[in-house]
Amino acid sequence: MAVQRKLRVGMVGGGGPSNFFGGPHRTAILMDNTAELTAGALRSSREGSLQSARELHFTRAYPDYESMLREEAAMADGRIDYVTIVTPNDSHYAISKASLEAGFPVLCEKPLTMTLSESQDLARIVRGTGLPFIVAYTYTALPMVMLARELVRAGEIGTIRKMETWYPQGWLSGRTEDMGVQQAEWRVDPNRSGASGCGGDIGTHAYEFIRFVAGLSALQVSGRAHTFVAGRALDDDFTVLARLSNGGIATIAASQVTVGAQNDNGFRAIGEAGTLEWSMLDHQSLKLFKPGQPVAVYRLGAEYGYFPDSIRPYLRTPSGHPEGFHEALANLHKTIQLQIRRRNGEQTPDPYPHPGVADGAAGMALIEAAIASSRAGGAWTDVVQVD
Amino acid sequence: MAVQRKLRVGMVGGGGPSNFFGGPHRTAILMDNTAELTAGALRSSREGSLQSARELHFTRAYPDYESMLREEAAMADGRIDYVTIVTPNDSHYAISKASLEAGFPVLCEKPLTMTLSESQDLARIVRGTGLPFIVAYTYTALPMVMLARELVRAGEIGTIRKMETWYPQGWLSGRTEDMGVQQAEWRVDPNRSGASGCGGDIGTHAYEFIRFVAGLSALQVSGRAHTFVAGRALDDDFTVLARLSNGGIATIAASQVTVGAQNDNGFRAIGEAGTLEWSMLDHQSLKLFKPGQPVAVYRLGAEYGYFPDSIRPYLRTPSGHPEGFHEALANLHKTIQLQIRRRNGEQTPDPYPHPGVADGAAGMALIEAAIASSRAGGAWTDVVQVD
Amino acid sequence: MAVQRKLRVGMVGGGGPSNFFGGPHRTAILMDNTAELTAGALRSSREGSLQSARELHFTRAYPDYESMLREEAAMADGRIDYVTIVTPNDSHYAISKASLEAGFPVLCEKPLTMTLSESQDLARIVRGTGLPFIVAYTYTALPMVMLARELVRAGEIGTIRKMETWYPQGWLSGRTEDMGVQQAEWRVDPNRSGASGCGGDIGTHAYEFIRFVAGLSALQVSGRAHTFVAGRALDDDFTVLARLSNGGIATIAASQVTVGAQNDNGFRAIGEAGTLEWSMLDHQSLKLFKPGQPVAVYRLGAEYGYFPDSIRPYLRTPSGHPEGFHEALANLHKTIQLQIRRRNGEQTPDPYPHPGVADGAAGMALIEAAIASSRAGGAWTDVVQVD
Amino acid sequence: MAVQRKLRVGMVGGGGPSNFFGGPHRTAILMDNTAELTAGALRSSREGSLQSARELHFTRAYPDYESMLREEAAMADGRIDYVTIVTPNDSHYAISKASLEAGFPVLCEKPLTMTLSESQDLARIVRGTGLPFIVAYTYTALPMVMLARELVRAGEIGTIRKMETWYPQGWLSGRTEDMGVQQAEWRVDPNRSGASGCGGDIGTHAYEFIRFVAGLSALQVSGRAHTFVAGRALDDDFTVLARLSNGGIATIAASQVTVGAQNDNGFRAIGEAGTLEWSMLDHQSLKLFKPGQPVAVYRLGAEYGYFPDSIRPYLRTPSGHPEGFHEALANLHKTIQLQIRRRNGEQTPDPYPHPGVADGAAGMALIEAAIASSRAGGAWTDVVQVD
């Protein structure tokens, strides 16, 4: 076997001391020994950006993403293979656009942009260029969520009647944004987060379960975006009832004020012939209910034959050696890396169809419709279809 | 200690071979050795009624409830102390009314009546007569639900922002009503069940958690009653978003088509200072979440000092000796028995404030508003306040 | 259908205010509406005994068990159908013997006697008279434990290699016997409890799982009976390693000093082809593990087809309506009642083979061998075979 | 802040396609962006070793560990900072010894050696040289296990009476070693695994919980090493009862034939004032039981204030973002890296006292005593004390 070179990753954002996503993405990029931290434009100040990239052992430090993209694109060889974007929401669009236009594949944090039209613009560019683009709906890359998708596609639960999704968190139950927590500060700021706080930050994750696991989209929504904490400009609670593309219905229940909830997203896919249930709190299990039968509990483990070939490259450890968040993120990086290696002519396993730019745009469409519905007292509102 | 006489119970309905509720109520009446099955009018046919009462060891058998009420009321002594009603919904009103008018306290199954105005009529009679009246919201009588109520009242979670309630079942995911299951037959029949199937049967239980545990009521609702199974006249899925009397919000998610769900009702009471969570699937535990602290898991057990005096008479066994449905039902009978003994001048522990006729009426008000809202595409609809 | 008369039960013991077992047995006898509390000799003092039986609504009150047995046996008709014994251990033998000799079937609490030879004597009488005799290994009457037994017998897990059993409790972690808790007082007293405290009280339950579920018995044991709490005469911790009749091995881990453990008995039956696991903490589930397959979780519910006919008469409620300790006790009473009705010529379902006098004797044999082994530093010690 | 250089790691073993531990250790070394894969001698054949190191992106490839140690030791600068050993057990001793003698700190897989005397020899060298040495008892590096240790030390459960430890696996329930699974082949081979199969492989992990969490050691043991699968030379089931250094007792229940068990190690630390319970199956929780109080469930999350400063550097993610096996391994590498940086004069947080060579030796002492006891029919056998 020939030696497979490590891919070179450029990162924008993620260098600040309180940035949450930079660290996990760096771990995810490094942990599989298939890629390296090559180029970094990690902070908003030029000095900070250069300093941070050096401290974090990037091979090349840049003062800003524009110079990074320009100089990397100009290299004869050794240039970066893709860009990872971990800035706050308000700069996703510009950096993604510039990266694509400079010819680089992109893995971008979610929500994808500030508005639907920005997302649609990115989708157009991706279609035009054919460049790989992954949106970091990280939970779709947990193996049991991927297995749920496969069991649905295999018909195990029949036609889906209802998708219940949830995402309670508790970290914004008080005025966290006033306690020096930068993660909270920008998330409650409409200028940096967009039209919805809770909906954009976590409601989009819940909605992506509907798209990814069930393969369905919302046609119409009745939404309620609620703000519980006084003085907060954006919603911290987000409830949606949706009519689905197959005639079924769905609920999205997201909240940031559920004291004690950690990061408890999950779903229940209710079909005519069975139910699949998964929860982050027990993320290495997947439950399948069939009428009159014992519950079948699938468990994570590389040795289990019930994982189809499409998931197998994403399994790392034997059963009972728990994986988690970092591995899920690494799976998204694996997918874009496989896509890139394919384009480069390498033989690789199939990249799994993890969420792309269309899913990012669909999330924005959901948010815009839900917020409009909420402002109209929950009136049923059409969701722009982006696929 | 003087010997405390057993109370004498009359039962209407519950004698048929496929009746679900008759058996558990008889168990609940007998198991504490405090009451006896005295008078029975257990079936719709005169012959069947007499036969069934003899087979089930009732002291006195009646052909119908009218004769039972008439003859018992006429007795100089030894007459029944209260009436338990376990017929289908459409006869609750008439039997309750007749029982009250004959001077008997009532413990009635839920939903209380077919319409709100019937419930309001019963409430008027109860207010007028002062007779004890309990509605069988059985789950409010599980000790951990009672403890949740007490912790809310003690301020453990502060002002409640949101009540999430749920009640998924799966038994009607197919056309159960065509398979000879009488329990299913009448539940999907508008003439015997009322305006809502899923909402009336189990949505009302979920709503009662909001009233009983949180002490709140719904002012306005946006509802969706959905029928998944083709050919069914009533809803088998029932979703409500509510604005609460304290400015908070609530969700009710009830379904009868969640394949594999057993009888999984529960709630999450989200307050400014903490969250209480309880689920039927783990009904002997109650979880209290406070910011930054370990989760406190209260467990059922007569020896635990954290049960206040108000609950203590309802505890039966030391921890780890599981109780369940029968004991919960028996607790409701205990409450009405304590109320009756009090009226009779006996010294007893305080009866716990389990749901009464107002709660039954509140359930009907919720159903009527939710169904009206659903028919209006989810428009916000006022809920008649019954207290 | 002809009316089936209620069986008449005599009870010895269980009338004192702090007696634990009297109440649950009365509940168990009453709750199925098939038997009544007829004769009581409930306390050690003559006056207390008469008073207690009246307060507890027994039809006939007796000053002591001797007079109860004598007078009941002399009745032309209406005499009791069986005797339930809920006294401390030291009187089980004499009362059982007298009851049998008076011609009455017996349901006796465990451990059956103070010594193995007493148990063997009872076994001899039972064999001679053919009278029904049930020992209250209550947990064998939980439906999921019965299902485990059936799955083992159906070969689902193949030949059993190892039976792991456990029974941690925490209620004796302090000097509970000095705090006025009568339940603790007699249990730590060798004169009333026998040669082993923890082993006799709960170790015997764990051992019965080996006999009942796996159908195996211990041939040799290496035991350690340990006393953690200073000043206590009997063991409060009991560990046994056993060689089984089929060449396999077993462990029994019982303790009364596991702070926080409630009543957490359970077992893991490890076979060549699968593992069955059950725990009191989740007593309505039974897990079946097969190599490479999803875990199959059987759940309690009268509607599930996977319960064989032999268990079906012992199911009470639809799934999700939890049962527990009282129903398990009631199942033991049901078994002896079915045995009695059979003897009387009634048509009944088959009584389930719940533990009888041989199982009581086997428990004593296990205790005697384990205590002898413990005294010999854990030396392998033969267990007298009693079947 | 000055840029902290990445440490340079040498690895011996772990390059073969079926090697289990090589991959996770490489992930663990890389994921924190603090160290790099510098020197590799990864396979037994010279050619394979060179090829494997190149494929796995090591900076320098060596044909064998001797040349690696010799050449690295001879470098003026840029030499490796420590050696990670992931070969089968039989070569741990020689490679560890050579590494230490060449002046390199060592992180070695367990069990540490083939015999106790080898371990004692290593311990002598470590004492003499003062070089950092970590034994990969990986589960001690899970944050909740570290928290358990801290709670014990803080007196939360008082004097420990009993340590129950367990480690069931199921992967050797059949003749896995005949199915081409190299992991199984060498583990059942006495020449490569040592005197005990199950005991050495996983029993030592369980015993380390006793040492690490409780701070206790076994003085005497009664052991049973059992082989269930016909034709296997080593034990696949390992049961130990131990007398502890503080007068308490302990149990170790390890098995490789528990069909369906994944990797389910755990412990219950039973003290006079409380119980701490932890299980790999729910490894992000830790339960504390105190008499009469709600169970306190500690959960993993970098934001929780109940983690003491000593653990804080080992926390990576906010609550609800699950971590697992890789992070635990990375924590061990972090500890040795912190030890090394300290020796180099860098300012670092305190390295946590993770298991060192004495713990490796203690594991061997336990195995030798348990196997000797098992051969003597479970006779109580002294355990050599190695600290």
Side-chain angles (χ1 to χ4, degrees):
Chain A
M1 159 172 131
V3 174
Q4 191 180 53
R5 78 167 171 86
K6 285 193 180 183
L7 295 188
R8 292 175 290 267
V9 185
M11 181 174 276
V12 184
S18 78
N19 181 287
F20 169 53
F21 281 111
H25 274 282
R26 284 188 292 275
T27 294
I29 289 164
L30 293 169
M31 69 188 297
D32 283 336
N33 199 13
T34 58
E36 59 195 11
L37 301 172
T38 303
L42 306 180
R43 307 196 63 176
S44 44
S45 79
R46 298 176 59 86
E47 254 327 290
S49 192
L50 292 168
Q51 169 73 0
S52 184
R54 281 190 293 262
E55 284 172 11
L56 293 167
H57 305 294
F58 281 75
T59 311
R60 298 189 285 271
Y62 291 98
D64 49 46
Y65 77 88
E66 293 91 341
S67 58
M68 179 180 102
L69 294 175
R70 188 175 57 242
E71 297 187 28
E72 292 287 328
M75 287 184 184
D77 49 42
R79 65 185 233 170
I80 54 175
D81 291 288
Y82 68 100
V83 175
T84 298
I85 303 171
V86 291
T87 58
N89 306 350
D90 59 336
S91 55
H92 289 178
Y93 170 62
I95 305 170
S96 291
K97 190 162 190 282
S99 299
L100 291 167
E101 290 175 346
F104 295 113
V106 170
L107 189 157
C108 185
E109 265 300 330
K110 39 59 45 199
L112 180 52
T113 54
M114 295 290 277
T115 67
L116 170 58
S117 70
E118 290 173 349
S119 285
Q120 289 172 312
D121 195 37
L122 292 182
R124 251 188 314 273
I125 303 175
V126 168
R127 277 197 300 275
T129 59
L131 288 167
F133 197 107
I134 292 288
V135 179
Y137 291 115
T138 308
Y139 306 104
T140 65
L142 288 163
M144 303 317 283
V145 176
M146 295 161 73
L147 181 59
R149 181 178 179 276
E150 296 294 330
L151 293 176
V152 167
R153 287 160 55 88
E156 279 284 353
I157 63 172
T159 300
I160 290 181
R161 287 171 166 165
K162 192 177 178 188
M163 280 293 291
E164 296 178 359
T165 67
W166 53 85
Y167 203 150
Q169 293 182 329
W171 70 301
L172 296 180
S173 67
R175 288 198 52 87
T176 319
E177 59 268 42
D178 298 344
M179 301 170 191
V181 180
Q182 295 189 358
Q183 284 300 309
E185 287 172 22
W186 71 258
R187 274 202 177 74
V188 303
D189 176 356
N191 294 322
R192 283 182 285 172
S193 264
S196 169
C198 179
D201 193 25
I202 59 178
T204 47
H205 276 295
Y207 180 45
E208 183 60 21
F209 287 140
I210 296 170
R211 293 176 53 84
F212 181 78
V213 173
L216 300 172
S217 61
L219 298 186
Q220 287 189 306
V221 293
S222 167
R224 180 175 179 89
H226 197 95
T227 304
F228 279 110
V229 174
R232 191 170 280 168
L234 290 177
D235 52 293
D236 47 28
D237 192 86
F238 181 84
T239 306
V240 169
L241 181 63
R243 294 177 180 146
L244 296 178
S245 45
N246 75 340
I249 64 175
T251 55
I252 298 173
S255 180
Q256 295 167 319
V257 301
T258 305
V259 178
Q262 299 189 304
N263 190 47
D264 308 346
N265 55 77
F267 59 85
R268 186 151 48 182
I270 303 166
E272 291 182 1
T275 295
L276 277 165
E277 190 172 323
W278 177 88
S279 156
M280 194 70 206
L281 294 179
D282 184 22
H283 74 96
Q284 303 197 132
S285 293
L286 173 66
K287 290 181 188 151
L288 172 61
F289 300 84
K290 309 269 276 191
Q293 296 181 21
V295 187
V297 183
Y298 293 84
R299 299 181 295 175
L300 180 59
E303 75 273 34
Y304 290 129
Y306 47 67
F307 285 100
D309 287 347
S310 59
I311 299 179
R312 202 149 288 285
Y314 294 83
L315 302 176
R316 285 178 171 75
T317 44
S319 67
H321 297 77
E323 298 187 357
F325 183 67
H326 290 133
E327 287 83 355
L329 260 186
N331 282 349
L332 292 183
H333 283 278
K334 178 191 289 276
T335 290
I336 197 168
Q337 290 174 18
L338 292 177
Q339 291 172 336
I340 291 167
R341 291 185 190 280
R342 281 273 171 112
R343 283 167 54 90
N344 294 349
E346 290 184 47
Q347 290 241 338
T348 70
D350 288 340
Y352 198 82
H354 281 122
V357 69
D359 296 273
M364 294 314 301
L366 188 278
I367 292 303
E368 291 200 356
I371 295 296
S373 169
S374 183
R375 287 186 183 140
W380 285 98
T381 303
D382 288 343
V383 180
V384 176
Q385 300 300 300
V386 295
D387 282 353
Chain B
M1 160 172 132
V3 175
Q4 190 180 51
R5 79 163 171 91
K6 285 193 183 186
L7 295 188
R8 293 175 290 268
V9 184
M11 180 174 280
V12 183
S18 79
N19 181 287
F20 170 52
F21 281 112
H25 273 282
R26 285 188 291 275
T27 294
I29 290 164
L30 292 169
M31 70 188 294
D32 282 338
N33 199 11
T34 58
E36 59 195 11
L37 300 172
T38 303
L42 305 179
R43 306 195 64 174
S44 44
S45 79
R46 297 176 60 85
E47 252 327 289
S49 193
L50 293 167
Q51 168 74 358
S52 184
R54 281 190 292 260
E55 283 171 10
L56 294 167
H57 305 292
F58 280 76
T59 312
R60 298 190 282 272
Y62 292 98
D64 49 46
Y65 78 87
E66 293 90 342
S67 58
M68 178 180 103
L69 294 175
R70 189 177 54 244
E71 296 187 29
E72 292 288 328
M75 289 184 183
D77 50 39
R79 62 185 236 169
I80 54 175
D81 291 286
Y82 68 101
V83 175
T84 299
I85 303 170
V86 289
T87 58
N89 307 349
D90 59 335
S91 56
H92 290 177
Y93 171 62
I95 304 169
S96 292
K97 190 162 190 282
S99 299
L100 291 167
E101 290 175 349
F104 295 111
V106 171
L107 188 156
C108 185
E109 265 300 329
K110 41 57 47 198
L112 181 52
T113 54
M114 295 289 278
T115 66
L116 170 58
S117 70
E118 290 173 349
S119 284
Q120 289 172 312
D121 193 38
L122 292 183
R124 252 189 313 272
I125 302 175
V126 168
R127 275 195 303 273
T129 59
L131 287 168
F133 196 106
I134 292 288
V135 179
Y137 292 114
T138 308
Y139 307 104
T140 64
L142 288 163
M144 302 318 282
V145 176
M146 296 162 73
L147 181 59
R149 180 179 181 274
E150 295 294 330
L151 293 176
V152 167
R153 287 161 55 89
E156 279 285 351
I157 62 171
T159 300
I160 290 182
R161 287 171 165 166
K162 193 177 177 187
M163 279 294 289
E164 297 177 359
T165 67
W166 53 85
Y167 202 149
Q169 291 183 331
W171 71 300
L172 294 180
S173 66
R175 288 198 52 86
T176 319
E177 59 268 44
D178 297 346
M179 302 171 192
V181 181
Q182 295 188 356
Q183 284 301 306
E185 286 170 25
W186 71 258
R187 275 201 177 75
V188 302
D189 176 357
N191 294 323
R192 282 181 286 172
S193 263
S196 170
C198 178
D201 193 26
I202 58 178
T204 46
H205 276 295
Y207 180 48
E208 183 60 21
F209 287 140
I210 296 169
R211 293 176 51 86
F212 182 78
V213 174
L216 299 172
S217 61
L219 298 186
Q220 285 189 307
V221 292
S222 167
R224 179 172 179 90
H226 197 95
T227 304
F228 279 110
V229 175
R232 191 169 280 166
L234 290 176
D235 53 292
D236 48 29
D237 192 86
F238 181 83
T239 307
V240 170
L241 180 64
R243 293 177 179 145
L244 297 178
S245 45
N246 75 339
I249 64 176
T251 55
I252 298 173
S255 180
Q256 293 166 320
V257 300
T258 305
V259 178
Q262 299 187 305
N263 191 46
D264 308 345
N265 56 76
F267 59 84
R268 187 150 50 182
I270 303 166
E272 291 182 3
T275 295
L276 277 165
E277 190 172 322
W278 177 88
S279 156
M280 194 69 205
L281 296 180
D282 184 23
H283 75 97
Q284 304 197 131
S285 293
L286 172 67
K287 291 181 186 151
L288 172 61
F289 300 85
K290 309 269 276 192
Q293 294 182 22
V295 187
V297 183
Y298 294 84
R299 298 181 294 175
L300 181 59
E303 76 271 35
Y304 291 128
Y306 48 67
F307 285 100
D309 287 347
S310 59
I311 300 179
R312 202 150 290 285
Y314 293 84
L315 303 176
R316 284 178 173 76
T317 45
S319 66
H321 297 76
E323 299 187 357
F325 183 67
H326 289 133
E327 288 83 355
L329 261 186
N331 282 349
L332 292 183
H333 283 277
K334 178 189 289 278
T335 290
I336 198 169
Q337 290 174 18
L338 292 176
Q339 291 171 338
I340 291 167
R341 291 186 190 281
R342 281 273 170 111
R343 282 167 55 90
N344 294 348
E346 289 184 48
Q347 291 240 338
T348 72
D350 289 339
Y352 199 81
H354 282 122
V357 70
D359 296 273
M364 294 313 301
L366 188 280
I367 293 301
E368 292 201 354
I371 294 296
S373 169
S374 183
R375 287 185 183 140
W380 285 98
T381 304
D382 287 345
V383 181
V384 175
Q385 301 300 300
V386 295
D387 282 353
Chain C
M1 158 171 131
V3 174
Q4 189 181 53
R5 80 165 170 88
K6 286 193 181 187
L7 295 188
R8 293 175 290 267
V9 184
M11 180 174 279
V12 183
S18 79
N19 181 287
F20 169 52
F21 281 112
H25 273 282
R26 284 187 291 275
T27 294
I29 290 164
L30 292 169
M31 70 188 295
D32 282 337
N33 199 13
T34 58
E36 59 194 10
L37 301 172
T38 303
L42 306 179
R43 305 196 64 173
S44 44
S45 78
R46 298 176 59 87
E47 252 327 289
S49 193
L50 292 168
Q51 169 74 357
S52 184
R54 281 191 293 261
E55 284 171 9
L56 294 166
H57 305 293
F58 281 76
T59 312
R60 299 190 283 272
Y62 292 98
D64 49 45
Y65 78 87
E66 293 90 342
S67 58
M68 178 180 103
L69 294 175
R70 188 176 56 241
E71 297 187 29
E72 291 287 329
M75 288 185 183
D77 49 39
R79 64 185 234 168
I80 54 175
D81 292 286
Y82 68 100
V83 175
T84 298
I85 303 171
V86 290
T87 57
N89 307 349
D90 59 335
S91 55
H92 290 177
Y93 171 62
I95 304 169
S96 292
K97 190 163 189 280
S99 298
L100 291 167
E101 290 175 349
F104 294 112
V106 171
L107 189 156
C108 185
E109 265 301 328
K110 37 62 41 199
L112 180 53
T113 54
M114 295 290 276
T115 66
L116 170 59
S117 70
E118 290 173 349
S119 284
Q120 288 172 312
D121 193 38
L122 292 182
R124 250 189 314 272
I125 302 174
V126 168
R127 275 196 302 273
T129 59
L131 287 168
F133 196 107
I134 293 288
V135 179
Y137 292 114
T138 307
Y139 307 104
T140 65
L142 288 163
M144 302 318 283
V145 176
M146 295 162 73
L147 181 59
R149 181 179 180 275
E150 295 294 330
L151 293 176
V152 167
R153 288 162 54 90
E156 280 284 352
I157 62 172
T159 300
I160 290 181
R161 287 171 165 166
K162 193 177 178 186
M163 280 293 291
E164 296 178 1
T165 67
W166 54 84
Y167 203 149
Q169 292 182 331
W171 71 300
L172 295 180
S173 66
R175 289 199 51 88
T176 319
E177 60 267 41
D178 297 347
M179 301 170 191
V181 181
Q182 294 188 359
Q183 286 298 309
E185 285 171 22
W186 70 259
R187 275 203 176 73
V188 303
D189 176 356
N191 294 323
R192 283 182 284 173
S193 264
S196 169
C198 179
D201 193 24
I202 59 177
T204 46
H205 276 295
Y207 180 48
E208 183 60 21
F209 286 141
I210 296 169
R211 293 178 51 86
F212 181 78
V213 174
L216 299 172
S217 62
L219 298 186
Q220 286 189 306
V221 292
S222 167
R224 180 174 179 88
H226 197 94
T227 304
F228 279 110
V229 174
R232 192 169 280 167
L234 290 176
D235 53 293
D236 47 29
D237 191 87
F238 181 83
T239 306
V240 169
L241 180 64
R243 294 177 179 145
L244 296 178
S245 45
N246 76 339
I249 64 176
T251 54
I252 297 172
S255 179
Q256 295 166 320
V257 301
T258 306
V259 178
Q262 299 188 305
N263 191 47
D264 308 346
N265 56 75
F267 60 84
R268 188 151 48 183
I270 303 166
E272 290 181 1
T275 294
L276 278 165
E277 189 172 324
W278 177 87
S279 157
M280 194 70 206
L281 294 180
D282 184 23
H283 75 97
Q284 304 197 130
S285 293
L286 174 66
K287 291 182 188 150
L288 173 61
F289 300 85
K290 309 270 277 192
Q293 296 181 22
V295 187
V297 183
Y298 294 84
R299 299 181 294 175
L300 180 60
E303 75 273 35
Y304 291 129
Y306 47 67
F307 284 99
D309 287 347
S310 59
I311 299 179
R312 202 151 289 284
Y314 294 84
L315 302 176
R316 284 178 173 75
T317 45
S319 67
H321 297 76
E323 298 187 357
F325 182 68
H326 289 133
E327 288 83 355
L329 261 186
N331 282 348
L332 292 183
H333 283 277
K334 179 190 288 279
T335 290
I336 198 168
Q337 290 175 17
L338 292 176
Q339 291 171 338
I340 291 166
R341 290 186 190 279
R342 281 274 171 111
R343 283 167 54 90
N344 294 350
E346 290 185 48
Q347 290 241 338
T348 72
D350 288 339
Y352 199 80
H354 282 122
V357 70
D359 297 273
M364 295 313 300
L366 188 279
I367 292 302
E368 292 201 355
I371 295 297
S373 169
S374 183
R375 287 185 183 141
W380 284 99
T381 304
D382 288 343
V383 181
V384 176
Q385 301 301 300
V386 294
D387 283 353
Chain D
M1 156 173 136
V3 174
Q4 190 180 53
R5 77 165 172 89
K6 285 194 180 184
L7 295 189
R8 292 176 290 267
V9 184
M11 179 175 278
V12 184
S18 77
N19 181 286
F20 170 52
F21 281 112
H25 274 282
R26 284 189 292 275
T27 294
I29 290 164
L30 292 169
M31 70 188 295
D32 282 338
N33 199 12
T34 59
E36 58 195 12
L37 301 172
T38 303
L42 306 180
R43 306 195 64 175
S44 44
S45 79
R46 298 175 60 84
E47 254 325 290
S49 193
L50 292 167
Q51 169 73 1
S52 186
R54 280 190 293 261
E55 284 171 10
L56 294 166
H57 305 294
F58 281 76
T59 311
R60 297 189 285 270
Y62 292 98
D64 49 46
Y65 78 87
E66 293 92 341
S67 57
M68 179 181 101
L69 294 174
R70 189 175 57 242
E71 297 186 28
E72 292 287 328
M75 289 183 183
D77 50 40
R79 64 184 234 169
I80 54 175
D81 291 288
Y82 68 101
V83 175
T84 298
I85 302 171
V86 290
T87 58
N89 307 350
D90 59 335
S91 56
H92 289 177
Y93 171 61
I95 305 170
S96 292
K97 189 163 190 281
S99 299
L100 292 167
E101 290 175 347
F104 294 112
V106 170
L107 188 156
C108 185
E109 265 300 329
K110 39 59 46 199
L112 181 52
T113 55
M114 295 289 278
T115 66
L116 170 57
S117 70
E118 290 173 348
S119 285
Q120 289 172 312
D121 193 38
L122 292 182
R124 253 189 310 272
I125 303 175
V126 168
R127 277 195 301 274
T129 59
L131 287 167
F133 197 107
I134 292 288
V135 179
Y137 292 114
T138 308
Y139 307 104
T140 64
L142 287 164
M144 303 317 283
V145 176
M146 296 162 73
L147 181 60
R149 180 178 180 274
E150 296 294 330
L151 293 175
V152 167
R153 288 160 55 87
E156 279 285 352
I157 61 171
T159 300
I160 290 181
R161 286 171 165 166
K162 192 178 179 188
M163 279 293 291
E164 297 177 359
T165 68
W166 54 84
Y167 202 149
Q169 292 182 331
W171 70 301
L172 296 180
S173 66
R175 289 198 52 87
T176 318
E177 59 269 42
D178 297 346
M179 301 171 191
V181 180
Q182 295 188 358
Q183 285 299 309
E185 286 170 23
W186 70 259
R187 274 201 175 75
V188 303
D189 176 357
N191 293 323
R192 284 182 285 173
S193 264
S196 168
C198 178
D201 193 26
I202 58 177
T204 47
H205 275 295
Y207 179 47
E208 183 61 20
F209 287 140
I210 297 170
R211 293 176 52 85
F212 181 79
V213 173
L216 300 172
S217 61
L219 299 186
Q220 285 189 308
V221 292
S222 167
R224 179 175 180 88
H226 197 93
T227 304
F228 279 110
V229 175
R232 192 169 279 168
L234 291 176
D235 53 292
D236 48 29
D237 192 86
F238 180 84
T239 306
V240 169
L241 181 64
R243 293 176 180 147
L244 296 178
S245 44
N246 75 339
I249 64 176
T251 55
I252 298 173
S255 180
Q256 294 166 320
V257 300
T258 305
V259 178
Q262 300 189 304
N263 190 47
D264 308 345
N265 55 77
F267 59 84
R268 188 149 49 182
I270 304 166
E272 291 181 2
T275 294
L276 276 164
E277 189 171 323
W278 178 87
S279 156
M280 193 69 205
L281 295 180
D282 185 22
H283 74 97
Q284 304 198 131
S285 293
L286 173 66
K287 291 182 188 151
L288 172 61
F289 300 85
K290 309 269 276 191
Q293 295 182 22
V295 187
V297 183
Y298 293 85
R299 299 181 295 175
L300 180 58
E303 76 272 34
Y304 291 129
Y306 47 67
F307 285 100
D309 287 347
S310 59
I311 299 180
R312 203 149 287 284
Y314 293 85
L315 303 176
R316 284 177 173 76
T317 45
S319 67
H321 296 77
E323 297 188 357
F325 183 67
H326 289 133
E327 287 83 356
L329 261 187
N331 282 349
L332 292 183
H333 284 278
K334 180 191 288 277
T335 290
I336 197 169
Q337 291 174 17
L338 292 176
Q339 291 172 337
I340 291 167
R341 291 184 190 280
R342 281 273 170 110
R343 284 167 54 89
N344 294 349
E346 290 184 47
Q347 291 241 338
T348 72
D350 288 340
Y352 199 81
H354 282 122
V357 69
D359 297 272
M364 295 313 302
L366 188 279
I367 293 301
E368 292 201 354
I371 295 296
S373 168
S374 183
R375 287 187 183 139
W380 285 98
T381 304
D382 287 344
V383 181
V384 176
Q385 301 299 301
V386 295
D387 283 352

